[in-house]
Amino acid sequence: MQADIHFAKGERFEQAQAKLAPATDWELAIEGCYYAAFQFILAGTSWRGVRHSDNHPHAEAVKLLTQTGAPSEVLTAWSALETVRAGRVYGKQSDNGETERSRERVKQIKDWALLGRP
């Protein structure tokens, strides 16, 4: 998939999750943030000349970010999204403000991706 297509998909996930209320829809919002961020990572790394496998394994995200020399803030934002997703979506924890923090992390990753856009 081309970088622009990944980026557009990330924006669709981002816009869809933004419609969700943290008080009631936090699991879906966090999941949407995770998927948006992943698409932004694929776009940002592709724009920087790093290819990803066609089956898009999420475990590849850190490797791709590292290969592009992404700043530690971006790696930390992705790591936090992975942790929150596992604890909130698959666990039994409540939102506790994680939806808004997840949205901020997506913005960090998206902004980084855009810096690599030709």
Side-chain angles (χ1 to χ4, degrees):
M1 193 180 297
Q2 295 176 350
D4 290 332
I5 295 170
H6 281 299
F7 192 82
K9 185 179 285 276
E11 286 190 313
R12 287 194 303 276
F13 280 124
E14 182 183 36
Q15 291 163 4
Q17 68 76 26
K19 297 174 188 175
L20 301 171
T24 56
D25 304 317
W26 51 271
E27 291 149 317
L28 288 173
I30 289 170
E31 191 76 0
C33 286
Y34 178 84
Y35 281 108
F38 184 66
Q39 293 297 320
F40 293 142
I41 288 169
L42 294 178
T45 56
S46 291
W47 283 327
R48 289 169 173 85
V50 175
R51 288 187 40 90
H52 58 273
S53 67
D54 290 337
N55 60 358
H56 304 113
H58 290 223
E60 193 177 85
V62 171
K63 177 181 146 195
L64 293 171
L65 288 168
T66 302
Q67 287 176 326
T68 62
S72 62
E73 297 82 20
V74 173
L75 285 159
T76 300
W78 175 250
S79 176
L81 283 170
E82 286 188 305
T83 300
V84 166
R85 178 180 183 238
R88 297 303 194 278
V89 175
Y90 298 116
K92 296 181 180 182
Q93 300 177 25
S94 64
D95 178 53
N96 291 332
E98 284 300 336
T99 299
E100 288 308 317
R101 285 189 288 279
S102 294
R103 289 172 173 167
E104 292 167 12
R105 292 172 184 130
V106 170
K107 184 177 177 346
Q108 279 183 291
I109 293 168
K110 180 181 182 181
D111 289 347
W112 168 82
L114 282 169
L115 289 174
R117 190 178 217 170

